[in-house]
Amino acid sequence: MNIKKFGSGTIHELTLSNGMRLVVVPTHARPRVLVQMVYDVGASSEADEEKGLAHLLEHMIFKGTPRLQEGAIWKIAARYGANMNAFTANDMTSYFFEVDSNNWKPFVSVLADCMENVLLSSEHLASEVKAVIQELRMRNDNPAVTLYEALFENALPKDHPYYVPLIGYKKDLAAMTADRLKAFYNKYYVPERATLFVVGDVVVEDVVAEVERNFAQIPASGKTFSPVFTKEYPKKTGFHLTFPKHWLKPNTFLAWPLPAAFDERVDVAQMTAQIMGEGPQSRLYKRLVDTDQSADNVGCGIYRLGNEAFLLVSYQPREGRADDCVRAVVDEIETLAEKPVDAAELSRLIKSTLVRHEMALENPTQALLGYELLVRYVKTGSIDAAFTIGERLAAVTPEKVRALVEQYITPKIMIRLDSVPMNEEQKTVWLADQQKDQELEQQILANHVRTTPIPTDIVLPEQYSMAKPIAVPIPRATQRFELDNGFKIIVTQEADTNLCAFLLGNINSVGMDKIQAIKVGVMSQLFIEGAAGFTKQQIIDWFNDRGVQQSVGAGFAVCLRQDFKDVFRKIFDILRNPDFVKGQRFLSKIFGSNGVAEQAFEKVKLQTIQQYKSFYDHPQMVAEFEQTSRKYKGTGYGYTLEEVIKALHEFTFSELPDLYKKFMNPAVRVLSVAGNVESQEVFKLAKECMSDLKALPAEKLGDAVVAQYVPSFDVAMNRDQVYLLYVRESKLPASELSVERVAIDILSAIFLSGGTSRIFKLREATGICYMSGGVLGAPIATGFHRSQDSVLALVSMVTKRPSGASPSAIHRAE
């Protein structure tokens, strides 16, 4: 066994006799284990006659084996309390289970069975083809996915292995057969192309023994595989394309090709992307969103596959400002190329990245071994990058960032992709195309008809009959305090961590009038705009110097143990002394904000208005606003989206002082702290920061709001799918932690939450929807007295439009 060290930890690597690789990383901060299988086969491995097979096969692997009937794997996951899922990429396919440390072993045997014995029946395929159709439509409703595919379609030649979309084309589903899937499965799902990762609270010897017992008997295939990439492919750059799309808001991608090699330039590029567009401290955010106010949002990242990579800048330009945004981005890039980044700016981002990595290490989930890291592993054979991030980032220098920008991120080779809202003529064409698309779907479904019933009485093999007690402890408060002014503190001490987290809550938040809650949200964003004698940039820099993951307005932070006291004091200093209440204080004429706070308020208010306008492109938000506005009409919950936007326009700076007093009233505030801290230490800090505040009378939440009966209704939207939302009043009190509350939460998990829920198994068995979910007894928009149940799903449009109906008059859920 090959053993490598990283910090205080180790990586254990072993190759079985059949060629399968095993990687074990023991971490003991949390009693959690990630069991993740990776096959180095993806969409780029497909031959011309195999397009779409890698992704469809991923959907089919958990359907069943001769030993595990249809639905059994989901039942096993539910029995052992595991989170399970899978994903396909261009270069690999991954299947994973996240579970407590007492119950990881069963999933090794499940994955071994799935490597060798998956049934891949035509009956299973008939159900799953429906789900893939739904997924295709969902991707077409997603601006980011659509622009990603447009980038590859226009920048890469047609013979490039990445040219065809990851999921394939809908027309290929018509000719899909179970025999074709079996051939692809038998060809690629072999030990030599597989690596099993086990990360978490495990004993290495136990893992090796369990893996050997389950996988060693699977024979090596003896196959040899030709490389997917046998030549360099030219890329087209320096072009600008515009796509009319059915969304109401415009979207833009700017892209630059990067070197595909997995060397130090990967880390330099990642830090460059963070400098350019990650969070409010980034250069593009400050320029486009804060200063120029030409975009509603902006982000920058690296889109890396095994043999191609792009640096991407994405944003939503405001009306008429698309070209202004491009000029601003180019200007910031040229500045980066001319002048090295300040070492302190780079150091802050590195510290923040390290803290996020510490969080992932302490709680191993699929987020730790995510897409980019696994692509790197598939291409290099090394997983070291997951655990040597500190060493690698320490080698990133301002000069290396400048050199990378100068060489690769230049205006001359920039690719610009704009999606713009359709005009009425284009909508008419699009609707006609949708009708043709639906007809194709019906042809596909006619070729895949299930004739056998879905199993309901699932019997598991004896080895899965009993789960061990869950190792993850139920969080319990170590101590509770209350100051004389009513401010409450809850502390949960955890010794085996290097992190601390705290959250400042408001017990009035559930019963708050919707408009008032939205105004509080605007005010919360203002804390970071200037407070306690610091500017926005100084506040952001202070937190980033310590790697803090925080939302100041909400009073939330995750930090390293050694920084806890300073971070605690700083957040409360900001919350106690925001610029927007300076004008109410003594000597305000001398120490007032001189209009700076008012300007910040108008900026944040406009950003919030734009955010709510963007909800018109999100079916879930439209549905939720519509149902609450109808159910609670005439109450503080019954506002339409239009009324919310109108109220935001009318929101004035003069309202903030009264709003702030209610917000900071210690009688309604609760501070929860968890991590490697002493209870008395937290109590002293809270007393220091909050004991001088006087309690105000807590606002009465009001009587229970009685919901009105709302029959089914449709809302017209330009979408490829219909969003279905079912909501009803629940008799369960939302404010009480009781036996009934716990029982409802358990029922909610059984029926509606996650990949092991019954509604998800219904989706797996029938394909009637792609996305589904919901919650029982949710305290949504009903105050403390009542809660509500909800079920949701995304389904395709399958009905014909009324003849003669105009596009604008058509209801999308006929």
Side-chain angles (χ1 to χ4, degrees):
M1 180 178 291
N2 183 26
I3 303 175
K4 301 177 183 177
K5 290 189 175 295
F6 66 94
S8 60
T10 53
I11 302 171
H12 302 255
E13 298 177 308
L14 175 70
T15 300
L16 277 60
S17 58
N18 57 13
M20 191 186 98
R21 295 169 297 281
L22 170 66
V23 178
V24 187
V25 185
T27 64
H28 304 292
R30 295 283 187 277
R32 297 284 297 171
V33 178
L34 169 67
V35 182
Q36 184 164 6
M37 176 65 82
V38 173
Y39 292 93
D40 62 343
V41 55
S44 64
S45 308
E46 299 166 342
D48 289 343
E49 68 278 5
E50 296 174 331
K51 298 304 180 187
L53 284 176
H55 173 260
L56 184 57
L57 182 58
E58 174 240 305
H59 278 247
M60 299 287 289
I61 288 297
F62 289 151
K63 286 293 185 182
T65 69
R67 190 171 65 95
L68 300 171
Q69 69 181 108
E70 184 178 5
I73 295 177
W74 299 100
K75 186 172 183 177
I76 292 169
R79 173 165 291 181
Y80 292 93
N83 176 40
M84 62 179 283
N85 214 327
F87 62 88
T88 310
N90 290 81
D91 303 286
M92 54 89 182
T93 308
S94 177
Y95 305 87
F96 62 88
F97 298 88
E98 301 164 359
V99 68
D100 75 285
S101 56
N102 284 345
N103 290 291
W104 60 268
K105 290 184 179 181
F107 301 103
V108 174
S109 66
V110 167
L111 288 170
D113 205 8
C114 290
M115 176 182 284
E116 194 176 27
N117 302 311
V118 174
L119 291 174
L120 299 175
S121 72
S122 58
E123 296 293 285
H124 295 165
L125 178 60
S127 295
E128 206 58 33
V129 162
K130 296 178 184 178
V132 174
I133 288 174
Q134 303 287 352
E135 187 175 359
L136 279 162
R137 281 192 172 273
M138 188 177 73
R139 291 169 69 89
N140 198 44
D141 267 350
N142 186 313
V145 172
T146 300
L147 290 176
Y148 277 132
E149 293 181 354
L151 171 64
F152 278 54
E153 183 178 339
N154 290 279
L156 303 180
K158 290 187 176 182
D159 63 337
H160 196 292
Y162 296 154
Y163 180 83
V164 174
L166 174 67
I167 198 170
Y169 298 116
K170 191 177 295 185
K171 60 182 177 59
D172 296 325
L173 293 176
M176 196 66 67
T177 65
D179 287 341
R180 290 179 64 198
L181 272 174
K182 287 178 184 177
F184 192 83
Y185 170 73
N186 292 332
K187 178 180 178 181
Y188 286 110
Y189 277 53
V190 295
E192 298 98 315
R193 296 189 75 104
T195 304
L196 181 67
F197 297 90
V198 180
V199 183
D201 188 18
V202 295
V203 176
V204 175
E205 290 76 13
D206 290 349
V207 175
V208 173
E210 190 70 19
V211 171
E212 288 274 10
R213 187 169 67 84
N214 284 278
F215 282 96
Q217 78 277 12
I218 300 176
S221 69
K223 298 175 183 177
T224 57
F225 297 90
S226 301
V228 173
F229 290 84
T230 57
K231 65 177 183 179
E232 291 288 330
Y233 293 88
K235 288 181 282 293
K236 181 182 177 183
T237 60
F239 60 89
H240 175 199
L241 296 175
T242 300
F243 307 91
K245 299 299 293 184
H246 55 284
W247 313 305
L248 300 180
K249 297 277 286 185
N251 296 272
T252 295
F253 264 19
L254 305 178
W256 293 263
L258 292 174
F262 286 94
D263 54 26
E264 70 169 6
R265 289 173 295 183
V266 175
D267 302 311
V268 176
Q270 292 284 7
M271 296 313 301
T272 302
Q274 288 181 243
I275 291 166
M276 289 177 62
E278 185 183 271
Q281 78 279 1
S282 66
R283 298 189 175 198
L284 292 181
Y285 189 97
K286 287 187 285 187
R287 177 67 181 273
L288 272 67
V289 179
D290 278 348
T291 304
D292 295 354
Q293 297 185 45
S294 55
D296 293 329
N297 50 57
V298 65
C300 183
I302 307 300
Y303 189 64
R304 173 167 293 281
L305 294 91
N307 286 73
E308 298 290 354
F310 290 87
L311 184 139
L312 294 172
V313 174
S314 60
Y315 54 84
Q316 285 188 324
R318 290 190 179 168
E319 188 173 356
R321 304 294 301 278
D323 291 338
D324 292 342
C325 289
V326 172
R327 284 190 288 268
V329 172
V330 170
D331 187 38
E332 293 299 322
I333 288 171
E334 289 177 343
T335 300
L336 271 174
E338 292 168 3
K339 182 182 178 181
V341 174
D342 182 73
E345 181 181 2
L346 183 59
S347 176
R348 292 183 195 109
L349 292 173
I350 290 174
K351 182 71 177 287
S352 181
T353 302
L354 291 174
V355 172
R356 286 201 300 269
H357 185 63
E358 182 86 14
M359 292 165 62
L361 275 176
E362 284 198 4
N363 190 24
T365 65
Q366 191 271 325
L368 177 63
L369 297 183
Y371 165 69
E372 286 203 9
L373 200 75
L374 294 177
V375 168
R376 183 196 284 254
Y377 173 80
V378 166
K379 290 299 177 181
T380 66
S382 172
I383 200 65
D384 297 9
F387 307 98
T388 58
I389 188 168
E391 302 165 27
R392 293 187 290 108
L393 293 185
V396 178
T397 64
E399 182 52 41
K400 288 179 181 178
V401 172
R402 189 203 63 77
L404 182 129
V405 173
E406 183 180 50
Q407 184 175 359
Y408 295 106
I409 310 173
T410 66
K412 184 178 180 180
I413 64 171
M414 181 179 74
I415 299 167
R416 176 180 172 184
L417 303 173
D418 290 320
S419 74
V420 296
M422 293 175 174
N423 58 35
E424 288 302 313
E425 182 180 350
Q426 291 166 336
K427 285 181 185 178
T428 302
V429 173
W430 173 70
L431 286 168
D433 289 341
Q434 276 209 326
Q435 183 64 41
K436 294 178 182 177
D437 214 28
Q438 290 175 33
E439 292 169 359
L440 175 59
E441 289 176 7
Q442 295 304 312
Q443 294 174 13
I444 294 170
L445 295 176
N447 291 343
H448 299 283
V449 178
R450 180 162 187 153
T451 59
T452 58
I454 302 165
T456 55
D457 185 18
I458 299 170
V459 180
L460 298 181
E462 186 176 345
Q463 72 179 99
Y464 302 111
S465 60
M466 185 68 70
K468 293 182 179 179
I470 301 296
V472 180
I474 298 173
R476 298 185 185 279
T478 307
Q479 201 157 356
R480 298 172 185 266
F481 306 95
E482 184 171 334
L483 303 184
D484 291 341
N485 58 11
F487 185 70
K488 300 168 185 63
I489 307 107
I490 303 170
V491 183
T492 305
Q493 291 180 229
E494 296 182 335
D496 296 329
T497 176
N498 191 36
L499 300 171
C500 297
F502 56 85
L503 174 66
L504 182 63
N506 186 331
I507 64 173
N508 273 349
S509 60
V510 175
M512 197 176 290
D513 173 281
K514 183 180 288 187
I515 297 294
Q516 187 180 36
I518 290 169
K519 289 180 177 180
V520 168
V522 172
M523 183 183 67
S524 297
Q525 295 179 63
L526 289 173
F527 287 105
I528 202 75
E529 293 289 332
F534 296 97
T535 65
K536 178 178 182 178
Q537 191 59 52
Q538 289 171 329
I539 293 171
I540 289 173
D541 288 349
W542 191 94
F543 284 112
N544 287 341
D545 281 340
R546 291 153 183 82
V548 179
Q549 313 298 305
Q550 93 290 335
S551 173
V552 173
F556 169 77
V558 178
C559 60
L560 295 174
R561 171 68 184 95
Q562 65 264 25
D563 296 321
F564 177 70
K565 288 184 180 180
D566 288 342
V567 172
F568 191 106
R569 290 189 178 103
K570 175 64 73 173
I571 285 190
F572 277 94
D573 194 21
I574 290 169
L575 292 175
R576 293 290 306 274
N577 301 288
D579 281 357
F580 60 79
V581 296
K582 276 185 177 179
Q584 305 299 311
R585 297 185 177 185
F586 181 63
L587 297 179
S588 62
K589 291 183 179 179
I590 300 175
F591 299 107
S593 60
N594 295 323
V596 175
E598 289 91 331
Q599 293 171 18
F601 169 74
E602 293 298 332
K603 180 191 71 176
V604 171
K605 183 176 81 168
L606 182 56
Q607 290 172 352
T608 307
I609 289 170
Q610 294 298 323
Q611 175 189 351
Y612 276 90
K613 286 183 176 179
S614 73
F615 287 172
Y616 286 112
D617 269 337
H618 296 275
Q620 181 172 354
M621 300 308 302
V622 171
E624 289 179 1
F625 266 93
E626 284 291 332
Q627 68 97 0
T628 55
S629 68
R630 295 169 192 240
K631 284 181 66 177
Y632 304 109
K633 188 175 182 179
T635 75
Y637 309 115
Y639 292 103
T640 65
L641 190 50
E642 291 84 355
E643 289 169 336
V644 167
I645 293 171
K646 182 176 182 292
L648 280 167
H649 277 294
E650 296 171 351
F651 186 21
T652 64
F653 185 76
S654 62
E655 296 178 57
L656 289 175
D658 285 341
L659 198 63
Y660 176 74
K661 288 177 185 177
K662 298 174 184 176
F663 177 82
M664 284 301 291
N665 180 5
V668 298
R669 305 297 279 179
V670 181
L671 176 68
S672 177
V673 179
N676 190 0
V677 291
E678 294 291 334
S679 297
Q680 288 298 323
E681 180 182 43
V682 175
F683 176 66
K684 289 178 182 178
L685 284 169
K687 194 171 182 180
E688 171 190 325
C689 296
M690 290 291 286
S691 63
D692 65 316
L693 274 184
K694 292 184 178 180
L696 300 174
E699 285 188 333
K700 186 180 179 183
L701 293 172
D703 297 327
V705 176
V706 179
Q708 303 176 60
Y709 171 71
V710 178
S712 300
F713 60 88
D714 301 334
V715 180
M717 291 185 71
N718 292 323
R719 309 305 291 181
D720 275 350
Q721 288 179 311
V722 174
Y723 181 86
L724 302 178
L725 179 64
Y726 167 74
V727 178
R728 71 175 183 184
E729 282 293 284
S730 170
K731 295 182 179 180
L732 178 76
S735 60
E736 299 176 8
L737 182 59
S738 60
V739 174
E740 290 82 4
R741 173 79 256 175
V742 173
I744 288 292
D745 288 342
I746 292 173
L747 283 174
S748 185
I750 291 171
F751 283 97
L752 299 167
S753 301
T756 57
S757 66
R758 294 194 179 188
I759 193 171
F760 189 82
K761 285 187 280 189
L762 177 66
R763 166 248 187 256
E764 281 291 295
T766 66
I768 60 174
C769 60
Y770 184 73
M771 189 193 83
S772 59
V775 63
L776 302 180
I780 300 174
T782 53
F784 280 105
H785 299 276
R786 285 287 179 264
S787 57
Q788 64 185 29
D789 307 325
S790 65
V791 182
L792 57 90
L794 269 179
V795 300
S796 291
M797 292 175 8
V798 294
T799 54
K800 295 183 179 181
R801 297 188 301 277
S803 59
S806 66
S808 59
I810 294 172
H811 282 222
R812 309 296 292 157
E814 297 152 353

